[in-house]
Amino acid sequence: MSVKIQPVKGTREFYPEQMALRNFINDKVRAASQAFGYVEWDAPYIEPISLYAAKSGEELVKKQSFVFTDRGGDEVTLRPELTPSLARMIAAKQGELTFPVRWWSFGPFWRYESPQKGRSREFFQWNIDLLGADSPEADAELISVAATFLRSVGLTPERATVSVNNRKLMISQFDALGVPPEKRMDVSNLVDRRSKMDADKWDAYALEIGLTQSQLDGLKAILGNYELWKESAELVRLFAALDALGVKEYVKFDPNIVRGLLYYTGTVFEAFDMSGSVRRAILGGGRYDNLLADVGGQPLPAVGFAMGDVVIGIILQEAGLVPEFQPSPALVLVTVFDENLRLQSLSLATELRRAGINAMVYPEPAKLPKQFKFADKMKMKVALTIGPEEAANGQVAVKSLRTGEQVNVTRDAAVEKIRELMLNA
RNA sequence: GAGCCUGUAGCUCAAUGGCAGAGCGCCACACUGUGGAUGUGGAUGUUGUGGGUUCGAAACCCAUCAGGCUCCCCA
């Protein structure tokens, strides 16, 4: 009796079509990263749990990590994020690296959460970081990389935008309202929740955490003031740089963006899909100037962001931006006319491959209609046939599956004819 | 971790306690030297799984698994 073994909850199986989407995202990520001079790197997929204990927050470590004890008795985990590994690796070579460091990575991560739309337990994530530069122009570069990626996959500014804010600006605004420093986190949390709660409940919650009515009114004024960035010298420089970088239309200031992570110190940003069904951030990041010092390295300013493959994958599919799937990497089918001519088909295919053309041979001498139907389903461009006539004359029948035109050429001329048809296809 | 919704053919979905169906797709033939179009015919299945109620369950009840939505968190 066979029992169906299901895949682990929250994992995805990548059939060729899904694999093509994953590779499409990976290719665009690589191109956007390399266009700005970032170099690829990676860290171990299994890490000691203690690596995350310091800075990642209890939620991530205790509830969302795949933790297990290895045979030696050590507590390890499948990595839930990359930044702690980055901090460790940078700190270890801080004396020999040439700064500023520009690194990117695209790899698997695991988080033990309940799977739902836009979230799985095993996912791929693009991480990209610039370490050793603390200017607003450096922040702008990362935002520009993000916008360049969005543009490269065909997402227009109407469809996807990057919302930007600055933690320092918000803190100074909170201070001006008379919010005590120990309440900053609570207020940030409050801001983060605004879009998810009813207005009345949000007001009540604000008063509950200790804001006065006048502070609440002041906070609302701040969150509705989309010109507030003009009061931040950093943001003024940031937007000037974004203009020069040619991505201004993708970016807007939004005082409601605060982001959950504790370690952000200045600029923070998130990209959203404005029209799709996924109400989750496509990517998010910001400046984290204290992290290296916090994990024992020399102080080092840093800015970066991360993008998961799940949300962007859904958005690209919904927007119809995923390239048509090509079922076979071979665009040429060599048919097999009959048993006697089978070896001629095999040797013809070999000639094509030696000329650099991917070619597939039908595995058996089936009826020609069946073989042509197969080529059609595989979305191939060209079908070749060597029948008794062609074999007698040293020729090959070359048919374009797009136009339906067929010509007989000598075997020597076949490669050139196929190249011509594939260019036009 | 908590609450709610869903699960029927490969896919999208019907059937509300009384013979499990349609469209699309698939296979064969028309067409034994040529795909897409058309026509004709064919197969779709332990109704997620396991129990229970009932003369009778796809439907009602319980459990379980999977998926979705929300809270939480975040990519």
Side-chain angles (χ1 to χ4, degrees):
Chain A
M1 295 296 287
S2 68
V3 178
K4 277 185 189 164
I5 309 287
Q6 290 181 324
V8 172
K9 180 172 182 169
T11 61
R12 291 165 296 161
E13 299 180 303
F14 290 87
Y15 287 85
E17 194 156 2
Q18 287 88 47
M19 194 66 208
L21 172 58
R22 185 171 123 193
N23 281 333
F24 173 72
I25 293 169
N26 196 351
D27 290 347
K28 297 297 185 181
V29 159
R30 167 173 276 109
S33 304
Q34 292 182 343
F36 287 78
Y38 287 69
V39 65
E40 189 173 16
W41 71 289
D42 209 344
Y45 297 172
I46 308 176
E47 290 277 17
I49 185 68
S50 52
L51 177 66
Y52 305 96
K55 252 325 195 188
S56 299
E58 292 220 344
E59 177 80 18
L60 197 63
V61 177
K62 295 203 171 148
K63 291 173 69 182
Q64 298 188 351
S65 291
F66 280 85
V67 183
F68 59 98
T69 307
D70 70 15
R71 291 178 192 275
D74 293 325
E75 294 264 299
V76 298
T77 181
L78 295 171
R79 62 182 189 180
E81 60 163 330
L82 192 61
T83 307
S85 304
L86 172 68
R88 179 190 62 203
M89 286 170 64
I90 294 286
K93 304 241 179 200
Q94 207 158 1
E96 61 183 276
L97 289 168
T98 302
F99 290 95
V101 159
R102 286 179 167 88
W103 283 6
W104 72 278
S105 181
F106 185 80
F109 294 86
W110 294 264
R111 286 188 193 172
Y112 198 84
E113 301 183 277
S114 41
Q116 47 189 270
K117 190 171 193 179
R119 180 187 298 165
S120 59
R121 287 184 174 177
E122 179 178 67
F123 56 96
F124 288 81
Q125 186 168 280
W126 177 25
N127 283 267
I128 181 163
D129 297 273
L130 169 55
L131 301 105
D134 67 354
S135 64
E137 289 75 20
D139 297 353
E141 176 171 303
L142 266 294
I143 293 169
S144 180
V145 172
T148 299
F149 169 82
L150 295 172
R151 182 149 54 203
S152 77
V153 296
L155 288 168
T156 62
E158 291 73 39
R159 185 97 215 199
T161 57
V162 183
S163 297
V164 178
N165 196 5
N166 187 295
R167 282 258 170 102
K168 286 183 214 158
L169 171 64
M170 295 310 281
I171 286 171
S172 72
Q173 294 294 313
F174 293 167
D175 288 350
L177 289 177
V179 174
E182 65 271 17
K183 280 228 165 67
R184 283 173 189 164
M185 272 308 302
D186 288 341
V187 176
S188 291
N189 232 317
L190 178 70
V191 173
D192 205 29
R193 288 182 176 206
R194 195 181 188 196
S195 60
K196 298 171 188 167
M197 292 175 77
D198 292 340
D200 293 349
K201 284 185 182 170
W202 189 79
D203 286 2
Y205 184 59
L207 299 175
E208 200 177 297
I209 65 170
L211 289 188
T212 66
Q213 184 62 47
S214 70
Q215 284 174 331
L216 174 56
D217 293 339
L219 183 60
K220 283 183 181 173
I222 290 167
L223 298 180
N225 181 2
Y226 286 79
E227 302 298 317
L228 197 61
W229 61 277
K230 291 174 182 169
E231 295 179 27
S232 162
E234 283 188 20
L235 284 175
V236 169
R237 277 175 64 182
L238 177 80
F239 278 102
L242 289 168
D243 196 7
L245 286 162
V247 295
K248 198 178 184 183
E249 71 273 22
Y250 274 96
V251 189
K252 63 168 201 247
F253 170 74
D254 188 340
N256 297 281
I257 300 295
V258 292
R259 294 191 57 71
L261 292 179
L262 304 179
Y263 52 66
Y264 291 118
T265 54
T267 299
V268 290
F269 55 95
E270 285 180 349
F272 288 97
D273 176 16
M274 309 306 287
S275 52
S277 71
V278 193
R279 303 250 45 96
R280 294 178 187 282
I282 298 171
L283 57 87
R287 174 158 292 283
Y288 52 98
D289 285 344
N290 298 333
L291 190 61
L292 259 286
D294 287 347
V295 299
Q298 295 299 309
L300 187 69
V303 56
F305 70 83
M307 179 187 79
D309 72 311
V310 183
V311 169
I312 189 69
I314 293 170
I315 288 167
L316 292 177
Q317 282 183 310
E318 284 184 356
L321 294 171
V322 181
E324 188 187 12
F325 176 60
Q326 176 57 47
S328 171
L331 298 179
V332 178
L333 179 74
V334 181
T335 62
V336 176
F337 191 87
D338 61 26
E339 197 58 65
N340 294 329
L341 293 162
R342 182 180 225 166
L343 295 184
Q344 293 213 30
S345 291
L346 292 180
S347 68
L348 173 61
T350 299
E351 286 170 26
L352 300 182
R353 293 184 195 119
R354 285 183 179 157
I357 297 172
N358 295 349
M360 185 192 290
V361 183
Y362 202 83
E364 58 191 354
K367 289 180 181 174
L368 283 180
K370 191 169 180 179
Q371 299 191 47
F372 273 78
K373 265 183 192 164
F374 176 79
D376 194 49
K377 285 211 183 99
M378 288 286 145
K379 297 190 172 131
M380 293 174 145
K381 307 293 187 202
V382 176
L384 306 178
T385 306
I386 300 179
E389 278 179 38
E390 288 82 5
N393 300 327
Q395 291 184 322
V396 181
V398 180
K399 180 167 186 176
S400 163
L401 293 174
R402 195 177 61 81
T403 65
E405 283 176 39
Q406 177 170 317
V407 293
N408 278 25
V409 301
T410 63
R411 269 182 82 147
D412 290 346
V415 166
E416 197 184 341
K417 182 65 186 171
I418 291 163
R419 285 218 174 96
E420 176 197 324
L421 289 178
M422 293 210 301
L423 277 179
N424 296 333

